[in-house]
Structure formats: structure tokens, C-alpha cells
């Protein structure tokens, strides 16, 4: 039943419920907004709600934030923007290709090949580190390359054990988000530190944090885009195959334009995750490439949380996402609906 079909009192009750929900939703944003214009005395003196009525607005928090007294605002904002857009675009592009392959092609591999990868990776690292005398970084690189090569070669043979397919691969991707983020963040920090000893600076760098966010976002991108591609009519692709159109042209020239709403919706969801991510930025940056969540978390002093400064920094982090979501809201809605159709 649609709200537009309601008549009389039911229509007014529905309107009243929507207005109440709207007020509940927007009140926290309003509270953050007015708090950013309060003085410290107005904040600690008790709740006040209306500017120029309950309290006299002040631009102290905003001037301190924009002038750099509360951290390097402009460099932090640019770091969040550059890393967020780069990681979201790359993750959406790579994840879309992986999701399309999982929808249109059949993959089969033996569980034993995955076990070979794990055993060779761990065993090769321990062998290189403790018996051959290699450093941790070199041992990690050699072990990973050897494990990957042997796993790929072994998958060519008829190995014993259960055979896994596309659904198992998708589950494996999604299961990566089940791990506690602190485990992945700490492991990445240790790996980046070892890579730094070899001359590849990844801690507090654009490349390091962007790669981490791409890996962090790929599972959700593959999961979402898989539903979008399944909803597309396969007859269009089959007609192109009849005309001997290459697979890469079908993907870039037919599939991607047809799935544009889904791509935009997935991109926005990915950007929201990356934009608000805190733990990886905390572990993998220290000054140059710190992002806005770190800036917001740092708005306090020895006297405690300074809510006027926190509110101003939080608005800076919220407003860009609200503007972008408003501009792309129609495409996001159609994209999410497309993914819901089976």
C-alpha cells in the first residue's frame, strides 16, 4: 500500500508520522550545527536550543578550525578527498570486474589448492626468516610469490578433496569483513613497516592508505555488484557474442553503461565507508595523510572533550557526503532497486 492511496485521517496520520520521523532524524544534525556556534561557557552551562534566543552565536570554533589551531584542516580535508575518491573509484572498478566474472563465468577449484597456498606461505616465510637468514620483508615477498605460483599450478590438476565454485568464492570475499578490523590494521602496519625497511614507504603515504582502503572495500563492492549484474538481461550480451564482439568490449560498452545506477550506488556506499573509516587511518598514518576522522577525534584537550570544536570538525566531515548523496540520490535509489530485483 502506498501513502498516496491513503484517504482522510489515515493520510494525516501517515503525514504526522513522517514529520515526527523527520524531526528525530534531523535533530542530531541540528544539535551539532548549533553546538559548533556555541562558546565553551554556553556548552557547559546547560542545554540551549535557539541561537540569539537561548545563546549568542560565536564563530570561535570555526575560526580555530579553519586557521589551523585545531590541526591542519585543509591538508586533512584534501587527504580525505583524494584518498576517498581514489580508493572508491578503484575498488568499484576492480570489484565490478570481479563481480561480473563471478556472475557470467563458472569457476572451479579444489580446496586443497587453497590449503597449499596457506601452508607454503607460512612455511616459506618461516623458512626464509629463521633458516635462510632473510629479513622479514624479503621472506614475506618470496613466500607469497611461491605460494601463489604453486596454488595456481596445483589447481590445474585433479586434486582430491571438495571442489569449490562461484558461491564459495563470493562467501570467501564477504567473510573478509567478518574479521575484527583491528587484526587487519595491525597486520598491515607490521607489513608496511617491513616494506619501508626495503625502501618502499607505505606508512603515512598515499599509496599505502589507498591500497588498504581498496582491499577493505572490495568485499562489499563484489557483493553489491554481483546482485546488480544478475539483474541485467543476459540476452543483450548473448546477441553481442553472436556478432563476435570481444568479452572486454561487451563489459565496457554494454554491461557498464547498463549498470550505471548500480555503479553509482555502490560507489557512494564505498565512499561512505572509506570517508568515515577511522582505524586504518589511525594505524597507517601519523601526520601527512591523516584523514578527517582523525581530525575529529583529536578535537579535545586535557580539560576533556571540547564539543564546540568537535561539532565544527564533524560538520566538515558530514557536509560533503550529504551534498554528494543529494546530487546522486535519484541514481542511487534506482541502483539500489536494481540490485533488489532477482
Amino acid at each position: 500500500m502506498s501513502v498516496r492511496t491513503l484517504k482522510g485521517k489515515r493520510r494525516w496520520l501517515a503525514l504526522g508520522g513522517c514529520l515526527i520521523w523527520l524531526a528525530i532524524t534531523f535533530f542530531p544534525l541540528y544539535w551539532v550545527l548549533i553546538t559548533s556556534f556555541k562558546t565553551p561557557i554556553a556548552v557547559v552551562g546547560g542545554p540551549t536550543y535557539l541561537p540569539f534566543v537561548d545563546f549568542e552565536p560565536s564563530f570561535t570554533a570555526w575560526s580555530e578550525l579553519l586557521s589551523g589551531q585545531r590541526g591542519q584542516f585543509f591538508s586533512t580535508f584534501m587527504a580525505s578527498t583524494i584518498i576517498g575518491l581514489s580508493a572508491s573509484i578503484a575498488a568499484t572498478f576492480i570489484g565490478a570486474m570481479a563481480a561480473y566474472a563471478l556472475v557470467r563465468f563458472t569457476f572451479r577449484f579444489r580446496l586443497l589448492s587453497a590449503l597449499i597456498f596457506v601452508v607454503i606461505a607460512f612455511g616459506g616465510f618461516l623458512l626464509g626468516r629463521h633458516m635462510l637468514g632473510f629479513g622479514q620483508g624479503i621472506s614475506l615477498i618470496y613466500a607469497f610469490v611461491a605460494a601463489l605460483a604453486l596454488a595456481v599450478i596445483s589447481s590445474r590438476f585433479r586434486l582430491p578433496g571438495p571442489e569449490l565454485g562461484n558461491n564459495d568464492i563470493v562467501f570467501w570475499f564477504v567473510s573478509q569483513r567478518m574479521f575484527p578490523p583491528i587484526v587487519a590494521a595491525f597486520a598491515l602496519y607490521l607489513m608496511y613497516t617491513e616494506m619501508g625497511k626495503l625502501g618502499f614507504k607505505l606508512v603515512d603515504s598515499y599509496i599505502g592508505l589507498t591500497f588498504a582502503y581498496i582491499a577493505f572495500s572490495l568485499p562489499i563492492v563484489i557483493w553489491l555488484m554481483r546482485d546488480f549484474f544478475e539483474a541485467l538481461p543476459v540476452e543483450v550480451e548473448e546477441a553481442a557474442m553472436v556478432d563476435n564482439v570481444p568479452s572486454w568490449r561487451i563489459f565496457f560498452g554494454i554491461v557498464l553503461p547498463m549498470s550505471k545506477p548500480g555503479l553509482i550506488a555502490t560507489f557512494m556506499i564505498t565512499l561512505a565507508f572509506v570517508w568515515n573509516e577511522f582505524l586504518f587511518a589511525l594505524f597507517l598514518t601519523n601526520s601527512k595523510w591523516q584523514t578527517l576522522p582523525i581530525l575529529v577525534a583529536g578535537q579535545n584537550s586535557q580539560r576533556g572533550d571540547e564539543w564546540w570544536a568537535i561539532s565544527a570538525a564533524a560538520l566538515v566531515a558530514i557536509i560533503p557526503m550529504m551534498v554528494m548523496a543529494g546530487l546522486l540520490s535519484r541514481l542511487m535509489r534506482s541502483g539500489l532497486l536494481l540490485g533488489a530485483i532477482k
Side-chain angles (χ1 to χ4, degrees), residues 68-292:
Q69 298 181 38
R70 292 283 179 172
Q72 298 299 321
F73 163 72
F74 291 103
S75 61
T76 303
F77 183 83
M78 290 303 300
S80 284
T81 303
I82 294 171
I83 292 175
L85 292 176
S86 301
S88 301
I89 292 172
T92 303
F93 180 70
I94 298 171
M97 291 191 293
Y100 178 75
L102 290 170
V103 169
R104 294 293 187 255
F105 304 99
T106 301
F107 295 92
R108 291 286 183 268
F109 69 97
R110 297 287 181 177
L111 180 61
L112 186 57
S113 296
L115 294 179
I116 289 174
F117 176 84
V118 174
V119 171
I120 297 300
F122 279 97
F125 174 76
L126 295 176
L127 177 66
R129 184 73 180 93
H130 298 289
M131 298 187 65
L132 300 180
F134 295 150
Q136 291 187 9
I138 295 295
S139 300
L140 182 65
I141 294 174
Y142 286 167
F144 176 79
V145 173
L148 183 61
L150 289 176
V152 171
I153 294 172
S154 65
S155 65
R156 303 280 182 175
F157 300 94
R158 293 183 175 273
L159 300 176
E163 187 179 62
L164 306 180
N166 289 32
N167 290 333
D168 300 297
I169 297 174
V170 173
F171 175 77
W172 180 82
F173 275 115
V174 177
S175 67
Q176 306 307 303
R177 297 301 300 269
M178 299 179 185
F179 288 102
I182 184 65
V183 177
F186 185 65
L188 275 176
Y189 175 75
L190 294 178
M191 185 179 71
Y192 281 9
T193 302
E194 293 301 323
M195 293 297 102
K197 295 177 182 178
L198 298 176
F200 303 99
K201 178 175 171 47
L202 295 176
V203 177
D204 198 25
S205 69
Y206 164 76
I207 296 294
L209 193 56
T210 301
F211 278 176
Y213 282 153
I214 292 173
F216 172 77
S217 304
L218 275 177
I220 190 68
V221 173
I222 293 173
W223 180 47
L224 291 173
M225 290 307 302
R226 182 169 177 258
D227 289 341
F228 295 142
F229 290 139
E230 284 181 342
L232 297 179
V234 71
E235 293 79 10
V236 179
E237 300 173 46
E238 292 174 347
M241 292 178 184
V242 172
D243 294 333
N244 293 323
V245 179
S247 298
W248 65 269
R249 286 189 59 188
I250 293 175
F251 178 73
F252 288 102
I254 298 175
V255 175
L256 288 186
M258 291 175 61
S259 59
K260 183 173 70 173
L263 287 170
I264 293 177
T266 302
F267 168 77
M268 285 299 303
I269 294 172
T270 304
L271 181 59
F273 277 117
V274 173
W275 188 268
N276 297 315
E277 203 285 323
F278 174 78
L279 192 62
F280 284 97
L282 179 64
F283 270 80
L284 303 180
T285 63
N286 49 50
S287 59
K288 184 177 179 180
W289 288 99
Q290 284 187 342
T291 56
L292 283 173

